[in-house]
Amino acid sequence: MAILTHASSTRAVRLAAIAGVSLSLLILGGCANQSASSSTYTYGQAQQEQIVRYGTVVSVRPVTIQSDKSSGVGALGGAALGGVAGSAIGGGRGQILASIGGALLGGLAGNAVENQVSKTRGLEITVRLDNGETRVIAQADDVALSSGQRVQVISGGGPTRVVPM
């Protein structure tokens, strides 16, 4: 009986450790925040000279902005949680197979969740500059813009931004 109690307490400690590591990875992954907002500057972009051009909005179209890089945190966290869940099923070889299957399915699910979370509502803004050139800029949908509106197109030292005048 003492051996059975020791084995189950070892399993509980192992499960708690894996869950703790997974939770830590998910929290750290949430700290990696990318922004396509016209109002957000990175520290390196602050105090950098920008070029300002003036123009008129020709059209605005809703788009989805998706991160082009996966941090891997979703897949890693999902795999760890799936492996933990799978290890609670069966015993012996069945438990090992359930752990591997749970890790694989959890990794796929975690990656899918991360891809959905990294999407942002955006705008594709077509601007006719005062010099006659036309530019298209995509940015987060956090500033109200409409056709015919006068805007500033700010660029240089980072992303190009469209902001109302």
Side-chain angles (χ1 to χ4, degrees), residues 117-128:
V117 169
S118 66
K119 289 183 179 179
T120 304
R121 287 180 21 174
L123 297 174
E124 179 185 84
I125 308 146
T126 303
V127 178
R128 178 158 296 116

Side-chain angles (χ1 to χ4, degrees), residues 30-131:
C31 295
N33 183 25
Q34 295 182 357
S35 176
S37 170
S38 63
S39 302
T40 302
Y41 287 82
T42 65
Y43 188 79
Q45 293 167 343
Q47 297 183 329
Q48 295 293 319
E49 180 179 19
Q50 303 282 312
I51 297 168
V52 179
R53 294 172 289 171
Y54 298 95
T56 304
V57 175
V58 174
S59 66
V60 179
R61 181 174 76 98
V63 295
T64 300
I65 299 171
Q66 167 117 20
S67 175
D68 57 351
K69 298 177 190 171
S70 175
S71 68
V73 172
L76 190 58
L81 292 174
V84 169
S87 72
I89 298 172
R93 286 189 182 178
Q95 184 180 28
I96 293 169
L97 292 175
S99 296
I100 293 169
L104 290 173
L105 292 174
L108 291 172
N111 189 53
V113 168
E114 181 180 1
N115 286 338
Q116 286 301 314
V117 169
S118 66
K119 289 183 179 179
T120 304
R121 287 180 21 174
L123 297 174
E124 179 185 84
I125 308 146
T126 303
V127 178
R128 178 158 296 116
L129 299 173
D130 290 350
N131 68 4

Side-chain angles (χ1 to χ4, degrees), residues 114 139 151:
E114 181 180 1
Q139 66 187 36
V151 293

Side-chain angles (χ1 to χ4, degrees), residues 1-9:
M1 200 64 166
I3 294 172
L4 190 57
T5 303
H6 177 66
S8 62
S9 85

